[in-house]
Every structure is written in structure tokens, then in C-alpha cells.
Amino acid sequence: VYGVHVMARYDVLADELGDTVTAAAETLADTVLPVMISGVTTVIGFAALLVSPQPAIREFASYSILGVSAMSLVAVTGVPALLACLPLPRKADAGVPASLPARVSRSISRTIERFLAIVADFATTHPTPILVTWTLLTLASAAAIPSIVVDTDYLSFFDARSDVRRDFATTSDRLVGAVPIYLTIAGPGEGAFREPANVEALERLQHSIDRVPGVSATLSIVDLLAVLHRAVERDDPVYETVPTTRKEIADLLFLIPKNKLRRFANANHSRVNLLVRTAVTGSAEVAALRQRLQDAVVKADLPAGLTATITGNTIVFTQASDGIAGNQLMSMALTAATILILVTTSFRSLRTGLVSMAPNVAPVVVFFGLLGAGLADLSLPTSLIGSVALGIAIDDTAHFIVNYRRLRDGGLTPAEAAATGMRELGTPIVTTSLMLTSGYLVLMLSGFATLRQFGWLSALTIQICLWGDLLMLPALLTRVRV
């Protein structure tokens, strides 16, 4: 993407100057600022992910930062150096028929140029309706943001026909729920769960939880004690109950093999686990089930000294994922503020910085608004899109602003500079946006469902950002008269 903008500027200068070295030097002088702004803002977008507690996301961000930094350096050093060593672009000879690829390329280029001329004319002659439309769209999207559903379902990362999904469904249907949740109950001290009153309270709580919607099965020391009690009483079904004396309970607990008891009680019987099995997987459903379990604990009215905690990998993972996803709006705000400071400093103008941010922040707000409208849930994968898209999308804006200021310094009015800038940079802006969109859409070929969702949502966001640059940016520059 950076190379496209460098080459677009070089083609103009090479045609004007007629010398590769001079044209390459001028290209470097004209593009170093927007390329470095683009590189740093993209790095900032990825750097916002470094605070994630998920190692995989931190690694994704780290390698992306390394790659973007390398590409930025290559674009402002390697590309101009290579262009200085190459001959000037060869012009088509008059009277010689162009090849089929050249004719197709020229036809596509002229179509894009005619389209961009229409867009530029509309944006510079009707700035107010365009800005009002974008403002209303942004406000409507912002109003939909509170309706975003934060839900990370790790099972949905796999296709519905995948072995993982089929095996999970089979386990849940034919056996019991494949997802374990632990309700840990701590007593006041050693031997707390040798006391009949505490074991009886555990049994009441287990029966109550068995009736909670979403619970497939439960298991605790109550089940082990009942089975063992029956066994020592010569397999008499009447004794398949929990003993009523401390001595009997203690004797049975010490009879249970340690490897069997370890899952349900600690060594001194001061703490027990009530295993709850379920088939729910989405973080929203898990959170709702957790609340129902908590309500059941409250209604069970455990004896004084007993405290219950709902935990397990499922609880921890879903809370962590939703925490990351839910904090994305704050992360986005910090990312936008950092980029604003960088752009304002680079252009030495707060007004220019604000104008640069508007056509990039608005599309990201629209993206989150679409999530609020039900396009998709805000999950761990989709939460990465906002900061990354904001860092990437400002690339074209930076190049457009630099070129616009050069045209303004040449004496053109804001409307003329915006229209001329669109004609000069519109093609590379459209080209780079299509490149990014195509790159993200390649993820649609993945066998991993969550990557496909990440790909098409990222591509959609890039396209929204493109229309922000094509319509909102020229309209803003014309109206604000930067």
C-alpha cells in the first residue's frame, strides 16, 4: 500500500522532470512525511493491542508492528533508491497498437478517473449535504453502540460441520454437558465437610442447582458418600444416602481413593467442589448461567462459615475475553487521541489534525454501530478490528492532506485543491483500499470460522473508510477551508 502512493507520485514527477534520480529524490521529499505518518499511526493501532492479557493477541500485535515498521522504512528508502536506478517509464509509441493488457489497464484507469472526477465535483460543490449525512449516520451509529452484544463463543470459532462441533454436540446430547463449571465451597476450617450439617447443606444446594436451566448434571462428594454408604451396607438400596453422623462421614471420606476424591475435596476436607456440567458455550450464556447459579447459592442459605465461589476455566476464559472486548471503546478512544496528537504535531495544526481524524473516526463509529444493530457480536476477534482499521485507514488521508496543502500553497482555493487532489490521488486511494479489502477477504478462504468473520468485517470497515476519504474529506476541506 505504501509503495502504491510512492509510485503514483513518482510517475507524475518522472513525467515532469524527465530524470530518474531527480524524480526519485523529489518523490522521497514529497512522500516521506505521509508515509511515516501512515506507518506510525498503523503502529499505534496495533500497539493498542499490546495491553491485551491474551498472549496470542500480543504476539499478533508485535509481529504486525515489526512488519509495518519494516514496510515504512522500505517505502521511503528502498523504493526511491530502486526507482533512481531504473530507466524512466517508457511511453507508448504513437501509431503502435497497445497490447491487450495495456488496453484493459488503460480502460480501467480511465473509468476510475471519470468516477473520481464525478465524486470530487459532487463533494466540493455539495459539502454541506455530505457532512450532514455523515454526521447523522455517525450519530445514529453512536446511539446503537450501547446495544452491542458482547459475546465470545470459542465453539463458534469452528465450522458447524467440523469434528469439534460434532463431537461437542454428541457429548452433550448422549452423555452430559461437555463444559465443566466448578462451585467451590470453603468451610471455616479442617474437617468442615465431615460435619453432617455442612454435608446436608451441600446436598440441598446440589439438588437446587440440578433444577437450574442450562445445567445438565452435577456431581459432588454427596454422590460418592451415598454410593459408598450403600456399598458398606451390603448394597442395600435403603442406605444410598449421606450418613447422618460425623464419624460415619469421616470414615467414608477416608475410604474414598485419593485420586477419586481429589476432584471434589481437598486433603483436610475443609473445601469441596460441586461440579456443574453444562452445554452452554457463549460468554453471554455462560454469564447468565453463572448468575442463575449465584441465585441458587443465595436461596440455599448455606450455614454460617460456608462461602461459595463459582469458577472454572470456562468462567475465567469468558470473563477475560469479554473484558478485552468490552474495553475496546476505551482502547479506541486512546488510540484516536494518540493519532490525533501525532497528526496535529506533524502538520503543526490542530484544525488539520481534527479534519484528518474525522473521515477515519466516523467510519469506525459506523462499524461499531453496525455491531450494535446486530451485524455481529463484539467478541475477542471482532474487537481487534476497530483500532487496527483506524491505524490503517488514516494512511490515505495523510497522503491526501499533504498533497492538498501543497496545492493550497500553490495558490488554489480549498475547493480547487480538494478536487485536484482527488484527481491526482484518487486512483491510488481507491487502489490501496481495494488492495487492503482483497487482503482481508482472502481470510474468507480460511477453514476457521472466526477468521472468516474477522476478514469480511475488516474488509467492510476499510470500504466504509474509503468512502469517508472520497466524500467526507474533500467536503470538510472545502467547508472548513484548511
Side-chain angles (χ1 to χ4, degrees):
V1 167
Y2 298 156
V4 168
H5 282 288
V6 174
M7 284 299 301
R9 185 60 184 159
Y10 174 78
D11 286 343
V12 173
L13 292 172
D15 189 53
E16 292 178 357
L17 301 175
D19 177 69
T20 56
V21 175
T22 305
E26 290 294 325
T27 298
L28 176 59
D30 290 348
T31 58
V32 64
L33 177 61
V35 168
M36 295 313 296
I37 290 176
S38 300
V40 175
T41 54
T42 306
V43 165
I44 291 172
F46 283 111
L49 306 177
L50 289 175
V51 298
S52 169
Q54 296 277 3
I57 294 179
R58 294 199 300 270
E59 291 175 6
F60 167 70
S62 299
Y63 283 112
S64 298
I65 290 171
L66 175 63
V68 170
S69 301
M71 290 301 103
S72 302
L73 186 62
V74 169
V76 297
T77 57
V79 174
L82 182 61
L83 291 173
C85 298
L86 296 175
L88 286 168
R90 197 177 74 177
K91 298 181 180 180
D93 297 328
V96 178
S99 63
L100 178 61
R103 292 199 302 272
V104 172
S105 175
R106 194 176 305 158
S107 176
I108 294 174
S109 179
R110 287 173 179 171
T111 301
I112 294 176
E113 288 171 358
R114 286 195 294 269
F115 167 74
L116 290 172
I118 295 172
V119 171
D121 180 67
F122 180 75
T124 53
T125 55
H126 302 85
T128 300
I130 291 174
L131 294 179
V132 169
T133 301
W134 270 103
T135 300
L136 294 176
L137 179 61
T138 304
L139 291 175
S141 300
I145 288 177
S147 301
I148 290 177
V149 175
V150 180
D151 188 18
T152 299
D153 186 350
Y154 288 102
L155 195 63
S156 69
F157 290 6
F158 301 91
D159 287 322
R161 293 174 292 180
S162 67
D163 291 340
V164 173
R165 295 284 289 272
R166 287 201 299 265
D167 292 345
F168 183 91
T170 301
T171 301
S172 297
D173 291 342
R174 298 185 182 180
L175 299 174
V176 293
V179 178
I181 295 176
Y182 292 95
L183 201 161
T184 301
I185 305 172
E190 182 176 348
F193 285 94
R194 299 171 201 156
E195 297 293 340
N198 291 339
V199 177
E200 183 184 348
L202 174 61
E203 186 176 23
R204 287 199 313 271
L205 175 60
Q206 184 171 350
H207 290 327
S208 176
I209 289 178
D210 280 331
R211 297 190 294 271
V212 171
V215 173
S216 302
T218 60
L219 194 62
S220 74
I221 62 169
V222 169
D223 303 282
L224 302 182
L225 288 172
V227 171
L228 194 55
H229 191 202
R230 173 176 173 171
V232 299
E233 294 295 339
R234 301 182 181 182
D235 200 29
D236 187 343
V238 174
Y239 289 97
E240 195 168 343
T241 59
V242 176
T244 57
T245 68
R246 176 184 173 87
K247 183 179 183 305
E248 287 180 300
I249 292 175
D251 289 343
L252 292 179
L253 285 174
F254 284 114
L255 281 176
I256 299 174
K258 290 183 179 179
N259 63 330
K260 299 293 185 183
L261 185 63
R262 189 178 298 119
R263 295 178 62 197
F264 303 103
N266 62 353
N268 65 7
H269 310 148
S270 64
R271 185 185 299 264
V272 295
N273 269 336
L274 173 57
L275 173 60
V276 179
R277 303 201 72 89
T278 180
V280 301
T281 55
S283 58
E285 288 185 322
V286 170
L289 175 59
R290 183 179 184 275
Q291 185 58 53
R292 292 195 294 271
L293 294 175
Q294 190 64 53
D295 294 341
V297 170
V298 173
K299 292 178 181 178
D301 192 22
L302 296 176
L306 298 187
T307 58
T309 304
I310 301 171
T311 185
N313 287 341
T314 301
I315 298 293
V316 173
F317 288 159
T318 54
Q319 286 181 335
S321 300
D322 285 357
I324 296 168
N327 289 331
Q328 282 309 296
L329 294 180
M330 179 60 69
S331 176
M332 277 293 306
L334 293 175
T335 302
T338 305
I339 293 176
L340 174 60
I341 293 172
L342 172 68
V343 174
T344 299
T345 303
S346 301
F347 290 126
R348 299 178 182 179
S349 168
L350 177 60
R351 176 191 275 187
T352 303
L354 292 172
V355 169
S356 302
M357 292 298 297
N360 297 286
V361 171
V364 175
V365 173
V366 172
F367 162 73
F368 281 106
L370 290 174
L371 296 187
L375 183 66
D377 294 335
L378 182 61
S379 62
L380 192 57
T382 57
S383 68
L384 308 179
I385 296 174
S387 295
V388 174
L390 180 59
I392 292 176
I394 204 169
D395 296 358
D396 293 329
T397 306
H399 285 279
F400 194 96
I401 292 290
V402 169
N403 190 61
Y404 171 83
R405 293 182 62 172
R406 183 166 52 244
L407 294 170
R408 288 280 285 138
D409 292 340
L412 297 184
T413 66
E416 292 171 342
T420 303
M422 183 62 69
R423 287 194 295 272
E424 293 181 355
L425 289 183
T427 298
I429 286 175
V430 171
T431 302
T432 54
S433 296
L434 292 177
M435 288 168 62
L436 288 168
T437 301
S438 301
Y440 280 117
L441 287 178
V442 168
L443 297 178
M444 294 294 292
L445 302 176
S446 171
F448 211 36
T450 186
L451 279 181
R452 294 201 299 273
Q453 185 184 54
F454 177 81
W456 74 264
L457 284 174
S458 297
L460 173 63
T461 306
I462 293 297
Q463 283 300 302
I464 298 173
C465 291
L466 169 62
W467 286 100
D469 282 330
L470 294 182
L471 289 174
M472 187 193 299
L473 183 57
L476 268 174
L477 292 171
T478 301
R479 176 60 60 197
V480 179
R481 304 182 66 85
V482 174

